Structure formats: C-alpha cells, structure tokens
C-alpha cells in the first residue's frame, strides 16, 4: 500500500482549549486531541459556572470533533508521529501545539505533589465544578492571589454565600491591569459584597489535619504568623505555559514555545498558539490573542498568506450579580502606569459609578483603565489599537466621556 503523501496527512492539534477549538473549527478534517473529558468550552466564563449562573453546557463552544480524555505523550519529529496515552499513534503533515498553561502551585509549606482536601486550583471546568460542589453558605474560603482569576473566584464564592478572604501578595488587586485608584475601587466593591481583602500579604503555608490517610486544609498561614481559618483554599497564583512536549521534542523553548509570525516553531512542520506560545518575546495568556492567532494560523495552514504581528490586548472583566446594581464592569489596556513625562487624564463620576484614566506618551495613547461605566471603552480601545499619533485638536476629555461603547 502506498504511503500517504504529506498533503494527505491531516493537521493534528494537541489541545482542545479555546485556541485549539477555534483553529479546528476553521480547518475541517483536523484531528484534535484533548485531555479534558468535556467538550471545548469558554474558559472566560468559569467564574459564572462556579457561581451557579451557567451550567457547563451553556459555556460549550460550537461543536468540534475532539478525541476527549486523550493525552499526547510524545512527538516523533523524524516520522511525524504523535504518540498518545491510549496507545494510539497519529500521523501529521502539520502539527499544532495548543497545550495551554497550568496553574502555578506556589511553594507553600504543607502543599505537596498531591493537593490536600479542600485545596483547589481554578483553571479548568473540572476545577470550577469541584469548587461548586464544595461551597455552601457559611463555608470559610481563602483565595490566594488577587489577579484576574483570584478576583473572579472570590466574587463567585461570595455569591454562593461563602465567607471569603482574598490574600494578595502585591500592593493592590490586579496589579498587571489596574492602577492603584481603580484597584481601590475594586477592593471597595468586593468588600461591600462581604469579601475580606488583604494586600501586601505573603502566604507561608497551609495547616492541614489528617484523618486516616487523608489530609484536609484547616487554615492558611501568613508570613507574620497570623492564620486564616479555611475550609476551602483556592490557588489563583497565575499560570505557566505547558511546554513539556515541546521541550522533550527538542523545540526552541524560552518561557513559552518560540514561534515566528506564521506561528511556526523551530521545526517547520510544527506550529504553536495560545497560552503556550511565545511570540516576539511575549506571552499573552488571554483569550483574545489566542483566538486571533488561531485565525491567522488557519489561513497559513490553508496556504494563504497571513502573518501574526502581535495583539494589543484589552482585558475586560464583568463581576456579575443577581442584583444588577451590584455588578461591576472593568476594562484595562496598554500601560496604565505613567512614566516620567507622560500625560495623565482622569475622570471620576460618582453619580454614574465611573472611573476612567488614560496615559498619553509622546502624543499616543499608551494605556488606560475604565471601571464602572464602560461607555467610552470602544473609542479608547480603537484609538489605542490604531497606535496613531493623537490629532492636536483631539480632546482627551472627549475620549473619556464618549459613549460610543453603548
């Protein structure tokens, strides 16, 4: 029997997250291998599953054929084979690594290779469902990490009736996205919902009790010796690109799997995209850039000219609530922390519950933060993404009060 030609071999995608699923939807016939037992889903909405607003099927992405619960364990670059843990072997003409990222497990005393009962990462649908099953009114929950995921988890747990403490090592919440003033408003919002927020708070370890052979968390120990009682502990300490397969296959890996503008790795037959990919020394870790990369790669693999030149990513978070008056929207883009010589314009409107700030650097919009009323976000984001010099007559105040986002 004649060996298949390269063009007849399918595209194989390792990873069925948002990036892998988006690519597969644009490439009929691609074979997708996914470790999770669930159909591909919108990871952005995990906090809504935890809060009980959405069932898992509601956040499912459009149907994509996926070999679920199958893990790729080895790449044979010479013969272009992917070996899987179920014993199957897949031939590829082009291979796409969409392996995503793993939650960072901090080096805490009492935290080993096996998580004690009551300790949960918050990265996958199974994580959200496990937390949803464990939470109940009055349960004491400590969230370690005050970034995007930590804030979302704390808000959802509070909505479930838990007594929530949020411990953040940095000076303020969501340090990567928010300036101190916006972070203070976010903190006030969380505290009004019953979340106890500790910033500049370093966690030292977990105190667990042992019943038979099972350890269960009972408290979170802080560096100053203080203990936070905990029935549940959520680890939201960031993520790390999953690069193990690429490293074992001898691909160029720095912080992530290094790719060029065609999302191609150091092997011309292997591409990478999403959280695991490092493009022009940048790791994005956000849904928007991953989807944009998938769209570019679909064109490349279809033989059409396309290049990925980076994403000017907008971070947007909606802290939903059954009471619309207690919901909160925020958006951040670019560099919200001014440097010497930058111009800063701020607008606070207590009546509308709005806080807006933009940073202008050398005549261009460098970044901004909006919290509360996001009416101006579309105009500001377009101006920032275009990266053109601001017209001399343009009023920054006009940008801040523009209601084009409604």
């Amino acid at each position: 029997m004649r060996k298949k030609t390269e063009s007849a071999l399918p595209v194989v995608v390792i990873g069925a997250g948002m990036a892998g699923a988006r690519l597969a939807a644009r490439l009929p016939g691609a074979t997708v291998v996914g470790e999770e037992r669930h159909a591909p889903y919108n990871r952005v909405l995990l906090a809504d599953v935890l809060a009980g607003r959405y069932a898992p099927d509601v956040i499912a992405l459009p149907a994509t054929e996926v070999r679920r619960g199958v893990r790729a364990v080895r790449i044979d670059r010479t013969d272009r084979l992917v070996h899987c843990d179920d014993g199957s072997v897949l031939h590829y003409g082009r291979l796409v690594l969409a392996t995503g990222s793993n939650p960072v497990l901090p080096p805490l005393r009492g935290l080993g290779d096996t998580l004690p009962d009551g300790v949960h990462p918050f990265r996958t649908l199974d994580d959200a469902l496990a937390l949803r099953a464990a939470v109940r009114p009055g349960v004491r929950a400590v969230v370690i990490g005050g970034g995007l995921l930590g804030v979302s988890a704390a808000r959802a747990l509070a909505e479930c009736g838990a007594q929530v403490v949020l411990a953040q090592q940095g000076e303020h919440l969501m340090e990567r996205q928010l300036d101190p003033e916006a972070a203070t408003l976010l903190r006030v919002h969380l505290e009004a919902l019953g979340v106890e927020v500790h910033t500049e708070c370093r966690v030292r370890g977990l105190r667990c009790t042992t019943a038979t052979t099972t350890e269960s968390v009972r408290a979170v120990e802080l560096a100053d010796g203080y203990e936070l009682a905990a029935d549940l502990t959520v680890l939201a300490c960031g993520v790390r690109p999953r690069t193990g397969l690429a490293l074992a296959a001898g691909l160029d890996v720095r912080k992530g799997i290094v790719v060029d503008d065609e999302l191609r790795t150091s092997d011309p037959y292997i591409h990478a995209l999403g959280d695991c990919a490092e493009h022009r020394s940048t790791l994005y870790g956000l849904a928007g850039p991953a989807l944009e990369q998938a769209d570019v790669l679909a064109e490349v693999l279809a033989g059409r000219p396309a290049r990925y030149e980076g994403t000017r990513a907008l971070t947007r978070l909606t802290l939903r609530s059954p009471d619309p008056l207690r919901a909160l929207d925020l958006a951040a883009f670019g560099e919200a922390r001014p440097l010497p010589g930058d111009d800063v314009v701020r607008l606070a409107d207590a009546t509308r519950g709005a806080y807006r700030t933009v940073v202008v650097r050398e005549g261009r919009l460098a970044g901004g933060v909006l919290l509360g009323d996001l009416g101006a976000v579309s105009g500001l984001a377009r101006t920032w993404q275009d990266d053109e010099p601001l017209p001399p007559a343009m009023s920054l105040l006009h940008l801040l009060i523009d209601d084009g986002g409604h």
Side-chain angles (χ1 to χ4, degrees):
M1 185 168 62
R2 295 172 58 187
K3 187 176 180 179
K4 288 184 179 180
T5 63
E6 178 184 318
S7 60
L9 290 173
V11 173
V12 174
V13 182
I14 301 177
M18 295 179 69
R22 174 72 159 249
L23 178 64
R26 302 259 328 250
L27 293 174
T31 299
V32 184
V33 177
E35 286 186 31
E36 295 188 58
R37 60 188 175 90
H38 305 283
Y41 56 86
N42 186 341
R43 200 178 303 276
V44 175
L45 299 176
L46 287 179
D48 294 294
V49 173
L50 172 54
R53 278 187 294 275
Y54 297 151
D57 60 325
V58 175
I59 70 168
L61 296 174
T64 299
E65 285 296 322
V66 177
R67 296 184 60 186
R68 302 187 204 174
V70 177
R71 183 167 63 91
V73 296
R74 185 168 68 87
I75 299 168
D76 178 344
R77 291 169 54 192
T78 302
D79 292 327
R80 297 189 208 165
L81 304 174
V82 175
H83 295 262
C84 300
D85 63 352
D86 64 353
S88 61
V89 179
L90 303 173
H91 294 256
Y92 66 85
R94 293 293 180 93
L95 176 64
V96 180
L97 301 179
T99 50
S101 55
N102 283 328
V104 171
L105 301 182
L108 302 178
R109 188 169 62 193
L111 189 62
D113 294 335
T114 302
L115 297 182
D117 281 355
V119 178
H120 299 262
F122 186 52
R123 182 64 181 162
T124 68
L125 181 53
D126 280 337
D127 294 337
L129 293 174
L131 272 169
R132 177 67 185 170
V135 70
R136 61 187 184 279
V139 74
R140 298 167 300 181
V142 176
V143 178
I144 302 175
L148 190 65
L149 276 180
V151 167
S152 299
R155 177 66 182 82
L157 289 168
E159 191 173 328
C160 294
Q163 300 175 28
V164 184
V165 177
L166 177 57
Q168 159 72 335
Q169 183 169 320
E171 293 183 0
H172 60 76
L173 298 174
M174 293 183 63
E175 284 188 309
R176 289 182 59 187
Q177 293 90 10
L178 302 184
D179 63 5
E181 291 83 356
T184 297
L185 293 172
L186 175 59
R187 178 174 183 157
V188 169
H189 171 81
L190 291 173
E191 289 176 338
L193 300 172
V195 178
E196 182 181 330
V197 179
H198 295 262
T199 53
E200 298 183 89
C201 169
R202 189 165 66 85
V203 174
R204 181 172 60 190
L206 306 177
R207 182 168 61 80
C208 302
T209 59
T210 303
T212 61
T213 59
T214 303
E215 283 193 323
S216 299
V217 67
R218 285 293 172 263
V220 173
E221 301 174 350
L222 305 183
D224 60 6
Y226 187 76
E227 288 192 351
L228 302 170
D231 304 304
L232 293 176
T233 300
V234 179
L235 304 175
C237 307
V239 296
R240 182 176 293 116
R242 295 185 65 182
T243 59
L245 269 177
L247 277 169
L251 300 178
D252 187 6
V253 175
R254 296 173 195 160
K255 291 183 179 179
I257 305 168
V258 178
V259 296
D260 63 14
D261 290 355
E262 291 186 334
L263 289 311
R264 195 186 315 270
T265 69
S266 52
D267 183 320
Y269 299 102
I270 302 178
H271 301 258
L273 76 167
D275 287 6
C276 69
E278 179 178 337
H279 175 261
R280 298 186 185 180
S281 301
T282 298
L283 290 166
Y284 288 99
L286 296 169
L291 298 179
E292 186 175 336
Q293 290 172 3
D295 290 341
V296 169
L297 185 52
E299 295 296 300
V300 170
L301 295 178
R304 294 185 284 269
R307 298 181 70 83
Y308 177 70
E309 298 183 349
T311 300
R312 295 174 70 81
L314 174 75
T315 299
R316 189 160 182 168
L317 175 65
T318 297
L319 299 175
R320 296 177 177 84
S321 172
D323 179 357
L325 297 177
R326 304 181 77 181
L328 181 70
D329 290 311
L330 65 86
F333 59 92
E335 299 179 40
R337 292 177 180 153
L339 300 176
D342 290 347
D343 293 319
V344 180
V345 180
R346 288 191 178 95
L347 175 66
D349 186 342
T351 303
R352 300 179 68 181
Y355 170 82
R356 302 170 183 177
T357 181
V358 293
V359 175
V360 177
R361 183 173 302 151
E362 297 179 352
R364 286 177 166 85
L365 197 57
V369 176
L370 296 86
L371 188 144
D373 184 350
L374 300 189
V377 70
S378 294
L380 288 170
R382 281 195 302 270
T383 301
W384 170 66
Q385 289 167 344
D386 290 343
D387 195 29
E388 296 291 335
L390 295 170
M394 177 178 283
S395 165
L396 287 176
L397 186 60
H398 173 72
L399 275 178
L400 286 173
I401 62 176
D402 180 20
D403 286 330
H406 282 309

